[in-house]
């Protein structure tokens, strides 16, 4: 699996021989690869007017391009805001609540992200083909797809240590602009142009995987909630700034804190059992559920759920 930003073909359809050669060396003679573009074909075409674009078929004959558009900007942020507003409105009845949930389109974004990640995983696992994923800059929906595909395919990415490594590699070192995307949250009255909950969408998709495969992930929902909190407000420097260059200042690592023996056990899934198989999630509407542990956490007590998990932990340790 490879990832990149969009090729800079521009309106004159410029070529880059080095890029063509690089992608050509990935494939042996007779092999084919897939380019998954997280923009629509129309958006990729329009990007040529500002210097971007996509790979011309004639210059990349062994690669087949697939467009799977994923929202990454204001529409995703507005969806998040609508969902949070609906979750906090305790005065509406069930029918009205379901209507507002549907109109927020948040679960549609979750489904689209999981579906695209499954497509990338299927190309690699079932077609045994190489996959290149890119969108525009390659630091938003690109990372969402590559990270999710690895959780689906690779059991090591489903361990606590491996998941931390995945986040470090696919989100932090890859340059996801956390400061711009997670500047304020859904509760702010400000509407910043570049804010969008891409990382939250990733965490939600991982939660969907953990719900559908409760024995296959070594970490629990509590880790995902902690990561969400630290992405928006943190005493640690792991999610600070927009890239590695800006992150040069010495700060305390969130991982160092999480991996302390006393802390680490709080984030482990007591039901975990190593699963070497690929985990293929269902993306049917009835299979995608609202992450209540996050979106209802401020209006619904988690006391009973916490007590249930503590009891499960004791039973597992007793055995």
């Amino acid at each position: 699996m490879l990832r990149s930003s969009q090729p800079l073909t521009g309106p004159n359809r410029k070529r880059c021989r080095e890029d063509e050669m690089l992608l050509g060396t990935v494939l042996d003679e007779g092999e084919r690869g897939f380019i998954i573009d997280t923009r629509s074909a129309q958006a990729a075409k329009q990007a040529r007017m500002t210097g971007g674009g996509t790979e011309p078929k004639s210059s990349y004959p062994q690669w087949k391009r697939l467009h799977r558009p994923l929202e990454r900007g204001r529409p995703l942020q507005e969806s998040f805001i609508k969902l949070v507003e609906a979750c906090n409105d305790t005065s509406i009845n069930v029918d009205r609540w379901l209507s507002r949930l549907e109109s927020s389109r948040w679960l549609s974004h979750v489904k689209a992200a999981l579906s695209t990640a499954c497509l990338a995983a299927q190309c690699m696992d079932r077609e045994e083909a190489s996959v290149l994923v890119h969108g525009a800059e390659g630091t938003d929906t690109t990372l969402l797809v590559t990270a999710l595909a690895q959780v689906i395919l690779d059991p090591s990415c489903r361990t606590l240590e491996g998941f931390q490594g995945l986040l470090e590699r696919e989100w932090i070192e890859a340059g996801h602009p956390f400061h711009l995307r997670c500047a304020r949250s859904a509760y702010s009255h400000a509407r910043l142009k570049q804010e969008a909950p891409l990382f939250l969408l990733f965490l939600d998709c991982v939660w969907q995987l953990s719900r559908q495969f409760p024995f296959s992930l070594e970490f629990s929902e509590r880790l995902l909630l902690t990561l969400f909190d630290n992405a928006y407000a943190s005493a640690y420097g792991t999610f600070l700034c927009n890239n590695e260059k800006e992150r040069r200042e010495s700060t305390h690592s969130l991982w160092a804190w999480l991996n302390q023996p006393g802390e680490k056990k709080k984030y482990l899934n007591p039901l975990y059992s190593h699963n070497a198989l690929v985990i293929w999630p269902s993306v049917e509407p009835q299979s995608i559920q609202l992450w209540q542990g996050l979106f209802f956490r401020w209006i619904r007590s988690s006391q009973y759920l916490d007590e249930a998990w503590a009891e499960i932990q004791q039973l597992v340790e007793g055995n």
Side-chain angles (χ1 to χ4, degrees):
M1 179 178 287
L2 306 97
R3 51 174 161 76
S4 72
S5 58
Q6 65 183 323
L8 302 180
T9 55
N12 296 324
R13 298 178 181 269
K14 292 183 291 184
R15 295 178 64 177
C16 178
R17 304 290 184 179
E18 293 82 2
D19 187 65
E20 293 169 18
M21 187 181 301
L22 177 63
L23 287 189
T25 59
V26 172
L27 306 176
D28 293 329
E29 188 175 349
E31 288 185 341
R32 65 170 182 166
F34 294 92
I35 297 173
I36 297 179
D37 195 323
T38 60
R39 303 165 296 174
S40 66
Q42 182 64 27
K45 185 177 181 180
Q46 290 175 344
R48 289 211 304 263
M49 297 300 101
T50 54
T54 192
E55 296 82 359
K57 293 179 181 179
S58 58
S59 302
Y60 299 83
Q62 290 178 267
W63 293 84
K64 180 178 181 180
R65 190 170 67 248
L66 305 171
H67 289 276
R68 293 295 185 273
L70 298 174
E71 294 289 0
R72 70 185 187 101
R74 179 163 291 182
L76 188 61
Q77 179 69 7
E78 292 296 331
S79 175
F80 178 37
I81 291 169
K82 288 179 181 178
L83 175 59
V84 170
E85 288 175 347
C87 290
N88 287 336
D89 188 350
T90 57
S91 64
I92 56 178
N93 59 32
V94 173
D95 290 340
R96 177 65 177 147
W97 150 247
L98 292 175
S99 174
R100 289 182 64 175
L101 172 63
E102 183 178 3
S103 65
S104 75
R105 299 195 66 246
W106 180 260
L107 296 185
S108 298
H109 296 309
V110 172
K111 176 181 178 177
L114 282 172
S115 297
T116 306
C118 283
L119 173 64
Q122 286 170 351
C123 290
M124 296 179 67
D125 182 67
R126 296 178 179 175
E127 300 287 334
E128 297 185 347
S130 296
V131 173
L132 167 65
V133 183
H134 72 64
E137 287 81 20
T139 55
D140 289 301
T141 51
T142 300
L143 308 183
L144 174 65
V145 173
T146 58
L148 280 175
Q150 289 176 68
V151 176
I152 291 168
L153 288 170
D154 188 353
S156 70
C157 292
R158 303 195 288 264
T159 66
L160 181 60
E161 181 180 354
F163 189 65
Q164 291 177 25
L166 176 75
L167 296 180
E168 192 71 33
R169 179 177 67 251
E170 295 298 317
W171 287 93
I172 298 168
E173 293 176 357
H176 180 64
F178 281 96
H179 178 68
L180 289 175
R181 300 292 183 262
C182 305
R184 294 185 184 273
S185 88
Y187 287 96
S188 172
H189 293 293
R191 295 289 186 267
L192 300 185
K193 185 177 180 181
Q194 299 193 59
E195 190 160 9
L198 270 302
F199 187 61
L200 166 59
L201 182 57
F202 167 72
L203 296 177
D204 197 329
C205 290
V206 174
W207 178 81
Q208 304 289 338
L209 290 171
S210 71
R211 194 189 62 79
Q212 293 189 28
F213 300 92
F215 304 104
S216 296
L217 277 66
E218 188 186 25
F219 49 88
S220 66
E221 178 188 37
R222 186 169 183 174
L223 176 70
L224 302 177
L225 293 171
T226 299
L227 291 171
F228 166 76
D229 291 339
N230 280 272
Y232 280 90
S234 180
Y236 302 91
T238 303
F239 297 114
L240 281 180
C241 307
N242 293 312
N243 51 54
E244 288 289 272
K245 183 178 180 180
E246 293 180 5
R247 213 175 282 116
R248 282 180 177 174
E249 291 187 25
S250 178
T251 58
H252 294 289
S253 168
L254 174 64
W255 313 133
W257 173 64
L258 286 179
N259 290 325
Q260 296 177 94
E263 286 294 322
K264 184 177 180 179
K265 65 180 182 182
K266 298 177 184 177
Y267 301 99
L268 294 175
N269 173 13
L271 302 177
Y272 173 69
S273 177
H274 176 74
N275 178 6
L277 302 175
V278 177
I279 55 173
W280 297 111
S282 168
V283 293
E284 295 300 318
Q286 65 269 25
S287 300
I288 305 295
Q289 295 191 9
L290 180 67
W291 185 6
Q292 296 187 29
L294 174 67
F295 294 109
F296 287 160
R297 67 193 294 204
W298 292 282
I299 61 174
R300 180 185 295 175
S301 173
S302 64
Q303 174 189 349
Y304 300 114
L305 187 60
D306 293 340
E307 290 175 354
W309 275 108
E311 189 170 338
I312 292 172
Q313 184 78 49
Q314 290 174 1
L315 288 172
V316 171
E317 291 174 352
N319 293 332

